[in-house]
Amino acid sequence: MTNTGALLVNALRRSAGTEMAAAVLIVDAKDEQALSFYLHYGFVPLQDSPMTLFLALASVR
């Protein structure tokens, strides 16, 4: 896992472990490389905007 991947996993675990009232995390990929990165970690692109992706926080828990 890259340092960037480790940072993402840490952020997801911290977000999922809080009392925060959130169901998903939404990100905007800045380029194709970023898109590939997020897809690798299970993010799903929005149908109408494929560079915007989401991940259900329940999948992190």
Side-chain angles (χ1 to χ4, degrees), residues 21-48:
V24 297
L25 178 67
I26 298 175
V27 297
D28 287 313
K30 66 179 184 172
D31 55 28
E32 292 295 324
Q33 184 178 358
L35 177 65
S36 179
F37 171 83
Y38 288 120
L39 290 172
H40 174 77
Y41 285 98
F43 282 76
V44 178
L46 297 180
Q47 188 172 12
D48 295 336

Side-chain angles (χ1 to χ4, degrees), residues 1-7 9 41:
M1 181 181 309
T2 65
N3 286 340
T4 307
L7 288 172
V9 170
Y41 285 98

